[in-house]
Amino acid sequence: METKIPYKIYLEEHEMPKQWYNVRADMKKKPAPILNPVTLNPVTVEELSAIFCEELAKQELDENTAYFDIPEEIRNFYKMYRPSPLVRAYCLEEKLGTPAHIYYKFEGNNTSGSHKLNSAIAQAYYAKKQGLKGVTTETGAGQWGTALSMACSYFDMDCQVYMVKCSYEQKPFRREVMRTYGAQVTPSPSMTTNIGRKINEEFPGTTGSLGCAISEAVEAAQSQDGYRYVLGSVLTQVLLHQSIIGLETKAALDKYGVKADMIIGCAGGGSNLGGLISPFAGEMLRGEGDYKLIAVEPSSCPSLTRGKYAYDYCDTGKVCPLQKMYTLGSGYIPSASHAGGLRYHGMSSVVSELYDQGLMEARSVKQTDVFQAAVDFARVEGILPAPESSHAIKVAIDEALKCKETGEAKNIVFGLTGTGYFDMYAYQKHNDGIMEDYIPTDEEIAKALAKLPKVDM
Amino acid sequence: METKIPYKIYLEEHEMPKQWYNVRADMKKKPAPILNPVTLNPVTVEELSAIFCEELAKQELDENTAYFDIPEEIRNFYKMYRPSPLVRAYCLEEKLGTPAHIYYKFEGNNTSGSHKLNSAIAQAYYAKKQGLKGVTTETGAGQWGTALSMACSYFDMDCQVYMVKCSYEQKPFRREVMRTYGAQVTPSPSMTTNIGRKINEEFPGTTGSLGCAISEAVEAAQSQDGYRYVLGSVLTQVLLHQSIIGLETKAALDKYGVKADMIIGCAGGGSNLGGLISPFAGEMLRGEGDYKLIAVEPSSCPSLTRGKYAYDYCDTGKVCPLQKMYTLGSGYIPSASHAGGLRYHGMSSVVSELYDQGLMEARSVKQTDVFQAAVDFARVEGILPAPESSHAIKVAIDEALKCKETGEAKNIVFGLTGTGYFDMYAYQKHNDGIMEDYIPTDEEIAKALAKLPKVDM
């Protein structure tokens, strides 16, 4: 007899994961090493420790340890907003008339509104443990900055956020959330760093970019005693922390004896997707299970589906290490997609390698279709999803409709990374019927790819 | 041996309440009857049914039925965002250094951001069941309008929201959330109703008021076939639906053998407070238990602590029935407090009667103290609370600090009704140190009270 699955599966506190999972340990072919941007040699823990906390530098480069204990302080913080629910989307299933069973792991039930907090608290913890005074970072739309502010306030650490100037001005509420948690928020480019002053001089009136904000944050960390720089995506340490999403998902499914047929996640820098699929990819790598893993990216920024697998810079300022990854080139400027969190030219090296090995497939979807899926979802499931998360919703609905045609009762699992409360400007465009799509031409992509750095590895 | 209490207590689906509780049934002295605003006689179900759905009119007037079955359709909707967690505030306790055990019932984990959805879904359901096409309502800050939009979209009902014009213009995001759920949002006063046109003519350029928006919404309901008006607070039917909060709270405490010493809630119209305390007040009325129940109101709008217990109009337009309640007079205009949800001149008749019978105490608190408590809370517990909810936080912290002095390990329970994501303008004022308090003078209050209607009952 089938156990009736509740609308929301919550793990008990004692069922929550006590370790993060490092999927690299189960990969026979590892991701290519990350390179020092100056020497182009593989970076060492020592070199990385000049920018990042030492413990995080170690996590970044450790290819062989499969499980890392989650320190008790972090587990206690997790208990305030985790476990996140694995929701059975009964109402969506009914609306679609599909025999498929749809599940989503919802990461939006915390003030940062997204999964970013899972890594922010870890990074703040290791900085505190190292005896640092504070950390610096950049933020675009503001979710990562908010998450880091919350984490730092919990550990009573200083938090300096360089916020892309146009967001700083257009999203004053995001800024205020960070200030409420005690963070110091500076519009970037600012006059407080050399690079900021230089950019302001060269481009008077510029409204900034994420690349510039990263450069300012790195400079700020290096010019103050007791500070390090932290980053919310792309890095393998971040994927490690985000594995909590996939581990909880798997534990919740196991609790009710549900075997997922496919796992769908949206892909920007790859941290949420990587975290969600890691335990499932690990099973596949160990020959213990088989899943269809699907990365969904915006058609305006199609790094997996139309990019090249090559070494590239992670940031436009070229101060972070180089990674081998699926990329459109660090000079590629995505059109003003409303899913700001997915406007990244590259993809986590671990996700890239899993994709290259054929363990995962990728799809790109149009923004207008994504918002229609978002609204359809919101109206029956209640939650107003972030535009980023809605990329996964779109493909989950597509797959559920395929099941309707074939009559298959597949178990579809997707990651709902966050809420869209701060994205109402984009929803307004959709509601007014004036949202547009942008798909880059082959020429545009070829032009950006032509500028990839020449690295022989 | 004490069972270790988890950070968050979630009821299992099968433990969720299947009935709402009507505290009036256990009151020996019932609240005074509500009166027809024209005849000043007690209203009948028939009269009420001209404005409200019939089933809701019955619930409004039923003093004797203790439990109402929650229809399955509503229970299914509840399962999408309920049970809400009862959170043990371990981090706040540690920060305060108090021996008290602090618990809060968090109602903010849904897109409306508050407890309002508990009644919105019930009201939409009964309207649907009656075969209506849609409902009309007013909204100020937008939480109620959002909740009703979500509920109507779930049942595929039309939803017409009259939104106070200044909020419509200052909170475009709230408006867009409602539109995303398919609601038709009209700035009030509008040119679509007689009363709206009249007010626009008399006061050109007016930015509207809740009283005016209510009058427009009632007129809109009465001038269209198949529409009824719905209201999100004050009414006893709303308290009935909100009893789900208190019932879940009690079930969660019972599950871990915790006996609450005090229950604290913020008080505007009284629906959240009434819902939270109902089951506890019921025990007291039946002589089965003893609790300290505390209503917390803003010092700028002190209906319980400085108002009069008398018959008054519920709305400035004087179209809704009169209630006997603690009131400052329907002409009292509260200062521009940032806790918009608590800017109401009166108080639910049930809460008023419980207070008058001495079952509950009331305190008024200053807005500057409230925001400081909100920030202290957010920084350790993560959740960014709504200004309204933070009134309860302030008093919970006060009580926990008293326990610190006396060494008592009391169990303090408070209601955290919602999140403050759409209140960042107010937080900004706090962050910038420019928030001010307003306490009305005795003369001001006396002046407003002098205009109470003369009703002999």
Side-chain angles (χ1 to χ4, degrees):
Chain A
M1 201 189 78
E2 191 194 5
T3 313
K4 162 83 175 160
I5 312 275
Y7 279 64
K8 294 189 257 72
I9 305 176
Y10 281 108
L11 299 176
E12 302 277 325
E13 225 167 63
H14 66 86
E15 296 170 319
M16 286 173 68
K18 293 182 178 60
Q19 298 181 309
W20 292 304
Y21 170 62
N22 179 16
V23 69
R24 281 174 303 181
D26 283 313
M27 294 168 78
K28 285 199 189 83
K29 179 165 176 263
K30 310 284 185 192
I34 61 175
L35 307 182
N36 182 312
V38 179
T39 65
L40 296 187
N41 290 323
V43 290
T44 62
V45 168
E46 289 66 35
E47 286 169 340
L48 266 192
S49 302
I51 307 178
F52 300 121
C53 301
E54 200 177 330
E55 202 63 42
L56 293 166
K58 283 183 196 161
Q59 291 179 357
E60 189 67 30
L61 299 183
D62 189 331
E63 296 181 334
N64 299 309
T65 306
Y67 289 94
F68 286 82
D69 287 339
I70 307 175
E72 196 188 348
E73 291 88 339
I74 299 175
R75 284 198 286 128
N76 283 343
F77 186 87
Y78 278 167
K79 285 177 196 164
M80 286 204 292
Y81 73 100
R82 308 198 67 82
S84 68
L86 181 71
V87 187
R88 171 79 184 269
Y90 282 114
C91 297
L92 181 61
E93 291 170 16
E94 194 186 325
K95 157 118 181 177
L96 298 174
T98 177
H101 294 190
I102 307 175
Y103 296 85
Y104 56 91
K105 180 70 171 166
F106 181 45
E107 292 289 315
N109 270 352
N110 69 76
T111 296
S112 82
S114 80
H115 63 290
K116 298 276 181 185
L117 196 51
N118 300 332
S119 183
I121 191 65
Q123 297 196 45
Y125 168 78
Y126 289 116
K128 179 81 177 180
K129 201 178 156 207
Q130 193 173 322
L132 298 177
K133 287 184 209 157
V135 291
T136 70
T137 199
E138 79 293 333
T139 201
Q143 289 186 319
W144 167 246
T146 304
L148 191 67
S149 305
M150 291 173 67
C152 286
S153 108
Y154 183 75
F155 285 126
D156 212 9
M157 301 267 297
D158 189 31
C159 180
Q160 300 177 358
V161 181
Y162 287 85
M163 186 172 188
V164 178
K165 196 179 272 177
C166 64
S167 293
Y168 182 91
E169 286 162 2
Q170 283 172 10
K171 297 196 165 185
F173 291 169
R174 272 284 186 201
R175 180 187 78 209
E176 285 308 319
V177 175
M178 292 183 256
R179 287 184 71 208
T180 300
Y181 285 93
Q184 184 184 322
V185 188
T186 307
S188 167
S190 75
M191 298 302 280
T192 65
T193 65
N194 292 328
I195 181 82
R197 282 187 291 271
K198 189 162 162 255
I199 291 172
N200 271 316
E201 199 171 298
E202 276 181 38
F203 308 97
T206 176
T207 54
S209 71
L210 210 50
C212 166
I214 292 179
S215 305
E216 285 206 86
V218 172
E219 183 185 326
Q222 293 184 323
S223 63
Q224 297 174 89
D225 272 347
Y227 281 77
R228 288 292 184 286
Y229 168 70
V230 298
L231 184 62
S233 187
V234 186
L235 299 176
T236 306
Q237 60 187 266
V238 179
L239 253 78
L240 175 71
H241 308 146
Q242 296 296 357
S243 70
I244 188 89
I245 304 173
L247 293 164
E248 280 186 10
T249 301
K250 196 161 162 10
L253 290 169
D254 287 350
K255 192 169 173 176
Y256 285 88
V258 177
K259 160 79 177 62
D261 290 297
M262 65 186 83
I263 328 277
I264 303 165
C266 62
S271 69
N272 131 70
L273 175 75
L276 173 65
I277 66 170
S278 274
F280 300 95
E283 272 191 33
M284 291 168 78
L285 289 161
R286 294 190 303 271
E288 295 168 4
D290 191 31
Y291 304 96
K292 182 166 173 165
L293 308 177
I294 309 176
V296 190
E297 56 186 17
S299 59
S300 59
C301 196
S303 51
L304 286 172
T305 50
R306 296 176 68 194
K308 193 174 164 186
Y309 193 32
Y311 267 105
D312 196 6
Y313 294 99
C314 293
D315 57 311
T316 19
K318 304 182 181 177
V319 292
C320 291
L322 281 83
Q323 297 199 356
K324 188 175 178 192
M325 58 184 175
Y326 277 86
T327 179
L328 297 163
S330 66
Y332 179 78
I333 297 172
S335 75
S337 153
H338 292 297
L342 306 182
R343 291 183 71 220
Y344 184 69
H345 67 278
M347 183 60 61
S348 135
S349 60
V350 172
V351 169
S352 293
E353 182 58 31
L354 289 172
Y355 179 58
D356 197 57
Q357 292 182 19
L359 269 85
M360 196 178 78
E361 57 181 272
R363 295 188 198 165
S364 75
V365 289
K366 289 190 295 183
Q367 139 166 304
T368 47
D369 293 338
V370 165
F371 272 85
Q372 191 53 54
V375 171
D376 290 345
F377 177 83
R379 291 193 181 182
V380 290
E381 288 288 321
I383 295 168
L384 187 78
E388 290 84 353
S389 326
S390 304
H391 285 69
I393 296 175
K394 164 66 182 148
V395 169
I397 290 177
D398 287 347
E399 290 293 325
L401 291 176
K402 278 186 209 163
C403 287
K404 188 176 177 178
E405 280 177 27
T406 63
E408 289 171 290
K410 286 187 181 169
N411 289 315
I412 300 173
V413 177
F414 72 90
L416 190 73
T417 52
T419 51
Y421 307 146
F422 290 89
D423 300 288
M424 294 319 298
Y425 180 68
Y427 273 99
Q428 183 172 358
K429 281 204 164 178
H430 173 82
N431 294 338
D432 289 341
I434 56 171
M435 180 165 280
E436 289 179 357
D437 286 316
Y438 181 75
I439 301 176
T441 63
D442 289 342
E443 288 70 31
E444 280 173 87
I445 288 182
K447 202 172 152 190
L449 288 176
K451 291 181 190 158
L452 284 178
K454 306 283 174 276
V455 179
D456 290 323
M457 283 290 296
Chain B
M1 201 187 78
E2 193 193 6
T3 313
K4 163 81 174 160
I5 312 274
Y7 278 64
K8 294 188 260 72
I9 305 176
Y10 281 108
L11 298 176
E12 303 276 327
E13 225 166 65
H14 65 86
E15 297 170 318
M16 286 174 68
K18 293 182 179 58
Q19 297 180 309
W20 292 304
Y21 170 62
N22 179 17
V23 69
R24 281 174 301 181
D26 283 313
M27 294 169 77
K28 284 198 191 84
K29 181 168 174 262
K30 311 285 184 191
I34 62 175
L35 307 183
N36 182 312
V38 179
T39 65
L40 295 188
N41 289 323
V43 289
T44 63
V45 168
E46 290 65 36
E47 286 170 341
L48 265 192
S49 301
I51 307 179
F52 301 120
C53 301
E54 199 178 327
E55 202 63 42
L56 294 165
K58 283 183 195 160
Q59 290 179 358
E60 188 68 29
L61 298 185
D62 189 330
E63 296 181 335
N64 299 309
T65 307
Y67 289 94
F68 286 82
D69 287 339
I70 307 176
E72 196 188 347
E73 291 87 340
I74 299 176
R75 283 199 284 128
N76 283 343
F77 187 87
Y78 278 168
K79 286 177 196 164
M80 287 204 292
Y81 72 101
R82 309 198 67 83
S84 68
L86 182 71
V87 187
R88 173 77 184 269
Y90 282 114
C91 296
L92 180 62
E93 290 170 17
E94 193 186 326
K95 156 117 180 178
L96 298 174
T98 177
H101 294 190
I102 308 175
Y103 297 85
Y104 57 91
K105 181 70 170 167
F106 180 45
E107 293 288 316
N109 270 352
N110 70 75
T111 297
S112 83
S114 80
H115 64 290
K116 297 277 183 186
L117 196 51
N118 301 332
S119 183
I121 192 63
Q123 297 195 46
Y125 167 79
Y126 289 116
K128 178 83 176 179
K129 202 178 156 207
Q130 192 172 323
L132 298 177
K133 287 185 208 155
V135 291
T136 70
T137 198
E138 78 294 333
T139 200
Q143 289 186 319
W144 167 246
T146 304
L148 191 67
S149 306
M150 292 173 67
C152 286
S153 105
Y154 183 75
F155 287 124
D156 211 9
M157 299 269 297
D158 189 33
C159 180
Q160 300 177 358
V161 181
Y162 287 84
M163 186 173 189
V164 178
K165 194 179 273 176
C166 64
S167 294
Y168 182 91
E169 285 161 2
Q170 284 172 11
K171 296 196 167 186
F173 291 169
R174 273 283 187 202
R175 180 188 75 209
E176 284 309 319
V177 175
M178 290 184 257
R179 287 185 70 208
T180 301
Y181 285 93
Q184 183 184 322
V185 188
T186 306
S188 167
S190 74
M191 297 303 278
T192 65
T193 64
N194 292 326
I195 181 83
R197 283 187 290 272
K198 187 163 164 254
I199 291 171
N200 270 316
E201 196 171 301
E202 274 181 42
F203 308 96
T206 175
T207 54
S209 71
L210 210 50
C212 166
I214 292 178
S215 305
E216 285 206 85
V218 172
E219 183 184 327
Q222 293 184 322
S223 63
Q224 297 173 88
D225 271 348
Y227 281 77
R228 287 293 184 284
Y229 168 69
V230 299
L231 184 61
S233 187
V234 186
L235 298 176
T236 305
Q237 59 187 266
V238 180
L239 253 78
L240 175 70
H241 308 146
Q242 296 296 357
S243 70
I244 189 89
I245 304 174
L247 292 165
E248 280 186 10
T249 301
K250 195 158 162 14
L253 290 169
D254 287 350
K255 191 169 174 176
Y256 285 88
V258 177
K259 161 79 177 61
D261 290 296
M262 64 186 84
I263 328 277
I264 303 165
C266 63
S271 69
N272 130 71
L273 175 75
L276 174 65
I277 65 171
S278 274
F280 300 96
E283 273 192 31
M284 293 169 78
L285 288 161
R286 296 190 302 271
E288 296 167 5
D290 192 30
Y291 304 95
K292 183 166 171 165
L293 308 176
I294 309 176
V296 190
E297 56 186 16
S299 58
S300 59
C301 195
S303 50
L304 286 171
T305 50
R306 296 175 69 193
K308 193 174 162 185
Y309 194 33
Y311 266 104
D312 196 6
Y313 294 99
C314 292
D315 58 310
T316 18
K318 303 182 182 179
V319 291
C320 291
L322 281 83
Q323 297 200 356
K324 188 177 178 190
M325 57 184 176
Y326 278 85
T327 179
L328 296 163
S330 66
Y332 179 78
I333 297 172
S335 75
S337 152
H338 293 296
L342 306 183
R343 290 183 72 219
Y344 184 68
H345 67 279
M347 182 60 60
S348 135
S349 61
V350 172
V351 169
S352 292
E353 182 59 30
L354 289 172
Y355 179 58
D356 196 59
Q357 292 183 20
L359 269 86
M360 195 179 78
E361 57 181 272
R363 296 189 198 164
S364 74
V365 291
K366 289 190 295 183
Q367 138 166 304
T368 48
D369 293 338
V370 165
F371 272 85
Q372 190 54 53
V375 172
D376 290 345
F377 177 83
R379 291 193 181 181
V380 290
E381 289 288 321
I383 295 167
L384 186 78
E388 290 84 353
S389 325
S390 305
H391 285 69
I393 296 176
K394 164 66 183 150
V395 169
I397 290 177
D398 287 349
E399 290 293 325
L401 291 175
K402 277 186 210 164
C403 287
K404 188 178 180 178
E405 280 177 26
T406 62
E408 289 170 291
K410 286 187 181 169
N411 289 316
I412 301 172
V413 177
F414 72 91
L416 191 71
T417 52
T419 51
Y421 307 148
F422 290 88
D423 301 287
M424 294 319 298
Y425 180 68
Y427 273 98
Q428 182 172 357
K429 282 205 162 176
H430 172 83
N431 294 337
D432 289 340
I434 56 170
M435 181 166 280
E436 288 178 358
D437 286 315
Y438 181 75
I439 301 176
T441 62
D442 289 341
E443 289 69 30
E444 281 173 88
I445 289 181
K447 204 173 151 190
L449 288 176
K451 292 181 190 158
L452 284 178
K454 307 283 173 276
V455 179
D456 289 324
M457 284 292 295

